[in-house]
Amino acid sequence: MTARLIDGNALAAQVRGELAARAEALKAQGVVPCLAVILVGEDPASAVYVRNKVAACEKAGVRSIKDTYAADVNPRTVFDRIAELNADPSVHGILVQLPLPKHFDADAILEAIAPEKDVDGFHAENVGALMQGNPRFIPCTPYGVMKMLESANVPLKGAEAVIVGRSNIVGKPMAMLLLQAGCTVTVCHSQTKDLAFHTQRADILVAAVGRPRMITGDMVKPGAAVIDVGINRLQSGPDAGKLCGDVDFESCKEVAGVITPVPGGVGPMTITMLLTNTLESAERAAEEMS
Ligand code: NDP
């Protein structure tokens, strides 16, 4: 059996086309959607993520502001800048690229962002709203995964969903969204005993761990939807230097019903959902003005 591929690039292009039309409609009302991105330090992966986000904004007709600070900046400077952006009515979304340098209290920084501009959905108020089933902003990666499942017509009601990984940015919000969609959800993590026992009974399997190719075909239920969130750079072997996911694509595609690739899967959808959240925020602001 060879699984159907969910092409994240194609789906992202389709959604971004719709977003560009919404951005145009907003501009006609005098509102230019705007995302502010704050980058602290010189982490090369973070710099690439920020560059991709800014480029995606440009293509979708979203204005972007990029503020970069040296790794040893006084956190006060960043707090002050967030306060300025919070107060600026022309800014609809604010995100601080993680991870932050060690002398920062990352939680305090995320809490400083106005909840109504928190397009990553990491502020405690937004986490609580998601938990209650009334989200203001859905965190971008799990939001993208839900869109991918929807696009592939994967049945959710009554499905067994297993998520490997329990981070605040992927695993936990993913669990909440699948639960609210009617799945029976199991969340696995580093202390889970017998991981394969859980993954083998998953109709929907989401891997968000950060360990190259750890989910192999023998761990997958025949016909399952396998969603690979992981982004890893291989350090050794014949594919050294290449990107791969947490799923061993070659063995899993023979067992799964649908599967996402890496690269070209969840990654492009994550940025697309960031644009979606920014547009939604700008639309709310436009409504309040009218
Ligand atoms: P974290 O490191 O925050 O979380 C990893 C999770 O995996 C933890 O909950 C950890 O458990 C669990 N884990 C670690 N080892 C095992 C194991 N052997 N068995 C089962 N569970 C294990 O990572 P993130 O959630 O931030 O990211 C996960 C992956 O997704 C990374 O590769 C990251 O690069 C990628 N990513 C991709 C995005 C995209 O757009 N495609 C966006 C965000 C992330 P414990 O809690 O017990 O430590």
Side-chain angles (χ1 to χ4, degrees), residues 52-277:
N52 291 345
K53 286 169 186 174
V54 168
C57 280
E58 225 166 81
K59 282 196 192 143
V62 172
R63 184 168 77 93
S64 61
I65 298 169
K66 181 179 152 192
D67 290 322
T68 48
Y69 298 96
D72 61 356
V73 67
N74 185 330
R76 194 68 261 157
T77 307
V78 178
F79 278 112
D80 289 348
R81 180 60 179 147
I82 291 173
E84 247 174 57
L85 293 165
N86 283 343
D88 182 343
S90 74
V91 173
H92 307 104
I94 304 169
L95 82 79
V96 177
Q97 185 65 44
L98 300 175
L100 286 164
K102 289 203 170 15
H103 66 289
F104 272 79
D105 177 346
D107 288 340
I109 288 280
L110 296 179
E111 293 305 300
I113 297 171
E116 59 280 4
K117 297 188 181 188
D118 166 40
V119 283
D120 264 338
F122 296 160
H123 191 288
E125 189 177 312
N126 289 325
V127 174
L130 175 69
M131 185 98 174
Q132 288 176 330
N134 189 23
R136 185 197 268 128
F137 294 113
I138 299 173
C140 304
T141 300
Y143 196 1
V145 171
M146 294 305 284
K147 287 278 169 200
M148 296 177 100
L149 291 169
E150 187 190 337
S151 80
N153 294 316
V154 174
L156 301 178
K157 286 198 174 72
E160 287 287 338
V162 174
I163 301 155
V164 190
R166 58 172 168 179
S167 69
N168 288 339
I169 66 170
V170 189
K172 285 181 196 163
M174 188 77 254
M176 214 41 67
L177 291 172
L178 288 169
L179 187 63
Q180 283 159 11
C183 297
T184 302
V185 178
T186 303
V187 183
C188 302
H189 45 79
S190 67
Q191 282 136 46
T192 297
K193 290 179 188 150
D194 197 354
L195 182 63
F197 165 79
H198 296 284
T199 60
Q200 278 162 353
R201 50 177 191 77
D203 301 310
I204 298 166
L205 176 59
V206 181
V209 180
R211 289 171 73 108
R213 298 173 176 162
M214 72 171 285
I215 304 290
T216 46
D218 56 321
M219 298 169 75
V220 171
K221 178 177 173 181
V226 177
I227 308 290
D228 191 356
V229 175
I231 301 179
N232 310 292
R233 199 166 290 281
L234 288 166
Q235 302 296 332
S236 58
D239 292 338
K242 283 193 183 160
L243 284 186
C244 78
D246 292 343
V247 168
D248 178 40
F249 186 82
E250 287 309 314
S251 62
C252 289
K253 81 173 197 311
E254 299 304 324
V255 187
V258 296
I259 192 165
T260 64
V262 176
V266 176
M269 284 306 291
T270 294
I271 296 189
T272 303
M273 301 329 288
L274 172 67
L275 296 174
T276 301
N277 281 347

Side-chain angles (χ1 to χ4, degrees), residues 16-33 57-63 279 282-283:
R16 286 184 203 190
E18 293 159 12
L19 293 178
R22 280 164 63 182
E24 279 310 306
L26 274 175
K27 279 179 200 159
Q29 296 175 54
V31 175
V32 180
C57 280
E58 225 166 81
K59 282 196 192 143
V62 172
R63 184 168 77 93
L279 251 293
E283 285 168 350

